[in-house]
Amino acid sequence: MHHLIRSKSGMNTSKQSWTKCIWASALGMSLSLTGLASQDFSSMQMQGIEQTTVDVDIDAAVKRLSGAVQFRTISNQDRDDFDTKAFTDYHAYLAESYPNVTKTLKREVLGDPRPYSLLYTWQGTDPEAEPVLFYAHMDAVPVPDDSRDQWLQDPFAGVIADGYIWGRGVVDDKNQIHGILEAAEMKIKEGWKPRRTMYFVFGQDEEVGGPEGARFIAETLEKRGVKRFAFVMDESAPLIPGLFPGIPDNTALIGIAQKGYLSLELAIHAVGGHSSQPPEESNIGILAEAITKLEAAPFPYRIHPAVRSQYRYMGPELPQEQQPMYKAVAFGKDGEMTDLEKQFIKAMAGNQVTRAMLHTTIAVTMFNAGTKDNVLPPSATAVVNFRPMPGDTPEVIIKHVKDAIADDRITVRDISASTPATAIANPDTDAYRALEKTIRQTWGNDLIVAPFFVIGGSDSKHFQARPFAPDTFTITALQLENVKEFEGFHGVNERLLVDEYAKTIGFFYRIFENLNAN
C-alpha cells in the first residue's frame, strides 16, 4: 500500500523557454551584489526526516470515498439551485461511515442563511494549549452537460477502476474530508487523544466563495472565544512534479497567503430598437469597447512578501546560475526595486501562472446581451473578476476601472461577496515545520518543500483574515502523477490513485501526532 512516486516530468517547451529566459537574465547581468553577498542563501529544506508508513485499510477507505462521490453536493452559480437533500444525506453518510468520530466528537451543522456546513470539535486534554483546525469542503463544481461524453467514467458513480477512484469532487475536495475522518477514526480506535483541541470544518459553498459556510463558522469560533489557533490547514496545490514553471522536480508548495476576490458588473442601459435602424454606437459595442480599454490597463507589478518567502526557500534549490536573481528577490525590500528584481519580474511576467503572482489580475468572465437576432438590446452587461493584491481594495479597483474605461454611460457595481487579500503566515514557525516534517514522513525527501503565494483562493481566507489564525497554511495532501492529472480539478475525468489516497490518510494520521508534540 505504500508507493512513493518519484517520477520526474520533463519540462515542456514553454517551461524550457521560461527557464532559459531566467538563466539569460541572471547571466547577462553585470550588477553589483553589494549588500546581498553577506546574506545567507543556503538551503532551507528540512533534513534527515525518516519516511514512515501507516497501516491503512485502504479497501474499506476507498469504498467510503467512492460512496461520498455519489452525493451530488454541487455549488451552482445560481444559489437558488441548491440540493439540500444531497447535503443532508451526505451528512448522514459521514455519521454512519465513521461511528467512532460520531460518538467521540461534537458535531454541529452550521451556516447562514442555510445551515449545511459541518463543525466537528475534538476536545483536547490540555485546555491551555492553542487549538488546531483542519478545513475541507463538501461542495464540488458542476459537470456541464456538454462535457459528459468526455468522461471515461460516470462522474457521480464513484467508480473504482484502473487503480483510480473516479468522480466529481473526489480530488476537490472530498478526499481531504475523508482523509481527515479516516485518520481520526483510526486514532480513536487506538485510544489516542489529542492534547490540543482539534476542529474539523467542512464547508458547503467553497466553490462560490464560502459566504454561507466558512465565513459563518469563522465568525462563530471567534465569538466563542477562540483567541489563537496554533495551526490551520486547508486545501491548495497538491504535490505534483513540474507544477511550478521552471522546476521539473516534485514539489510540495505550501500556501502562506492568498489573493483577494472581487467581481464587478459593468453595464450599459440605454435605448434598444430594430436592427434595421442601428445607431452609430450599439450598447454591445459600447460595452465591448469599455472591456477592451480595461484589459489594456493592467495593474502594475510588484513583489509580494509571500513571493519573497517563496524564493528564500525555493531559490537555493534551483540552478546556480539563477540564484543571484532569486537572492535579490528573497532579500529585497518593499518600495524598492533593484535591477535584478526588475529582471525577475520580466521573466515571471512571461508565464500566466507566475504573472498572476505579481499583480491584481483582471479577467472578463461573463458577457450578456440580446435575445433576438433582429433586435438591438436595450442593455448589455459583463462580469469582470479580480484577484486583488494587498492594498487593492474594492474602492481602489472600482476607481481603476472607471479611469480606464472613461465612459460615464457604463455603470460599475460590486456583485460579489468580496474578500481582501489575506495576511501572511510565517514559515519560520513550529506550525510550518510540523507540516513539512509530515510531508517528508509521508512522501520522502526527494522533493522541494516551499511556501508560495496562492493566486486562487479557498475558504481558509475567512479564517486567515482574522487575528486568531496567523498560522494558516494551504496544501492538498495528495500526490498526483503529473501536471496533466491536475486538469481534473474542475475539468473532466477527475480521479485519484488508490495508493496515493492511502498516503493522504497516513498524512493526516501523522500530522495529528506532530501537532500534538509541539
Side-chain angles (χ1 to χ4, degrees):
M1 294 187 296
H2 187 78
H3 173 61
L4 177 64
I5 294 180
R6 295 180 183 270
S7 60
K8 307 286 187 181
S9 65
M11 290 185 291
N12 61 32
T13 302
S14 63
K15 288 178 184 175
Q16 289 173 339
S17 300
W18 188 91
T19 305
K20 287 177 181 176
C21 177
I22 291 177
W23 285 7
S25 299
L27 290 170
M29 301 294 289
S30 57
L31 300 172
S32 169
L33 298 180
T34 303
L36 287 178
S38 62
Q39 298 281 7
D40 178 17
F41 200 55
S42 59
S43 176
M44 302 288 285
Q45 302 296 296
M46 192 175 281
Q47 302 294 322
I49 303 301
E50 181 182 357
Q51 189 173 0
T52 61
T53 59
V54 175
D55 186 13
V56 175
D57 184 354
I58 190 59
D59 292 337
V62 164
K63 288 179 182 177
R64 285 186 282 268
L65 182 56
S66 167
V69 173
Q70 298 171 44
F71 295 94
R72 303 189 184 202
T73 50
I74 300 299
S75 274
N76 294 295
Q77 197 63 37
D78 178 3
R79 298 311 295 147
D80 292 329
D81 185 4
F82 185 84
D83 188 347
T84 58
K85 188 174 186 300
F87 282 87
T88 55
D89 287 352
Y90 184 42
H91 294 172
Y93 177 77
L94 292 176
E96 179 183 355
S97 298
Y98 303 102
N100 287 304
V101 170
T102 302
K103 179 175 63 176
T104 306
L105 277 64
K106 177 184 178 182
R107 192 186 84 163
E108 300 171 82
V109 183
L110 300 172
D112 180 41
R114 287 178 287 207
Y116 292 97
S117 294
L118 298 176
L119 170 63
Y120 288 82
T121 304
W122 196 353
Q123 194 64 46
T125 58
D126 182 357
E128 301 301 318
E130 292 175 339
V132 298
L133 186 148
F134 291 90
Y135 179 88
H137 61 90
M138 295 179 285
D139 62 319
V141 296
V143 176
D145 290 338
D146 60 4
S147 73
R148 285 293 183 113
D149 62 350
Q150 300 174 46
W151 283 77
L152 299 177
Q153 302 289 350
D154 183 331
F156 294 107
V159 173
I160 305 165
D162 304 320
Y164 296 91
I165 314 167
W166 301 73
R168 173 57 83 226
V170 70
V171 173
D172 186 17
D173 185 38
K174 285 178 178 173
N175 78 94
Q176 300 295 289
I177 291 175
H178 286 260
I180 291 167
L181 293 177
E182 293 284 348
E185 187 79 1
M186 291 169 63
K187 285 292 189 185
I188 294 169
K189 285 181 181 178
E190 295 168 3
W192 186 86
K193 294 181 180 180
R195 181 173 69 86
R196 301 177 184 277
T197 294
M198 301 177 70
Y199 295 98
F200 304 152
V201 178
F202 304 143
Q204 70 197 52
D205 58 344
E206 188 273 347
E207 298 293 0
V208 290
E212 295 185 10
R215 178 198 58 79
F216 180 77
I217 291 178
E219 290 177 357
T220 298
L221 292 174
E222 192 171 47
K223 290 176 181 176
R224 289 181 180 177
V226 176
K227 299 300 182 185
R228 190 184 189 283
F229 285 101
F231 177 89
V232 175
M233 178 184 162
D234 189 12
E235 62 156 344
S236 186
L239 284 71
I240 310 179
L243 173 64
F244 200 81
I247 303 175
D249 297 332
N250 198 18
T251 55
L253 300 179
I254 300 171
I256 59 171
Q258 299 181 39
K259 297 175 82 174
Y261 189 97
L262 174 70
S263 285
L264 299 179
E265 180 193 75
L266 277 61
I268 181 168
H269 302 284
V271 177
H274 199 281
S275 64
S276 63
Q277 304 175 51
E280 291 184 358
E281 292 183 290
S282 67
N283 291 333
I284 293 176
I286 293 168
L287 183 58
E289 182 180 6
I291 293 296
T292 300
K293 289 179 180 178
L294 178 58
E295 289 188 326
F299 284 82
Y301 294 129
R302 62 183 190 268
I303 300 175
H304 189 281
V307 174
R308 298 192 188 282
S309 285
Q310 178 173 330
Y311 281 93
R312 176 62 190 93
Y313 281 72
M314 188 180 289
E317 312 312 315
L318 299 178
Q320 189 69 34
E321 297 92 336
Q322 303 174 29
Q323 292 189 15
M325 183 163 55
Y326 293 139
K327 186 173 184 178
V329 171
F331 297 113
K333 297 179 181 179
D334 296 342
E336 299 178 9
M337 189 69 67
T338 66
D339 288 338
L340 279 171
E341 289 173 288
K342 290 176 184 176
Q343 231 17 69
F344 171 82
I345 286 177
K346 182 178 179 180
M348 295 277 278
N351 177 281
Q352 68 180 27
V353 174
T354 52
R355 181 171 62 244
M357 297 168 60
L358 299 175
H359 67 160
T360 292
T361 53
I362 301 171
V364 183
T365 54
M366 300 173 70
F367 201 106
N368 297 295
T371 57
K372 199 170 185 293
D373 65 347
N374 65 346
V375 176
L376 294 166
S379 65
T381 63
V383 174
V384 185
N385 182 249
F386 301 82
R387 300 302 175 100
M389 294 279 274
D392 287 343
T393 63
E395 294 76 20
V396 168
I397 292 173
I398 289 172
K399 183 180 186 304
H400 179 93
V401 171
K402 289 182 175 180
D403 289 346
I405 64 179
D407 191 335
D408 292 338
R409 294 171 295 180
I410 304 293
T411 61
V412 180
R413 182 168 66 98
D414 183 351
I415 61 169
S416 63
S418 59
T419 56
T422 68
I424 306 170
N426 183 3
D428 187 18
T429 56
D430 288 341
Y432 180 94
R433 285 185 281 271
L435 180 52
E436 180 176 356
K437 177 182 178 181
T438 311
I439 290 168
R440 295 188 180 281
Q441 285 177 319
T442 307
W443 289 284
N445 291 298
D446 190 16
L447 77 172
I448 296 173
V449 180
F452 87 119
F453 185 29
V454 180
I455 59 176
S458 67
D459 267 351
S460 61
K461 62 182 176 286
H462 295 290
F463 297 89
Q464 196 167 7
R466 301 169 189 276
F468 70 3
D471 292 329
T472 296
F473 303 103
T474 62
I475 185 171
T476 294
L478 175 68
Q479 173 78 65
L480 296 188
E481 298 167 275
N482 50 52
V483 176
K484 180 71 175 175
E485 289 295 305
F486 199 39
E487 295 174 4
F489 281 63
H490 294 201
V492 300
N493 295 319
E494 186 175 350
R495 66 185 188 176
L496 64 82
L497 281 166
V498 168
D499 287 348
E500 285 305 326
Y501 180 49
K503 282 186 277 187
T504 294
I505 297 168
F507 167 88
F508 287 109
Y509 182 97
R510 286 289 182 231
I511 201 166
F512 292 170
E513 295 175 345
N514 291 336
L515 289 170
N516 228 35
N518 292 331

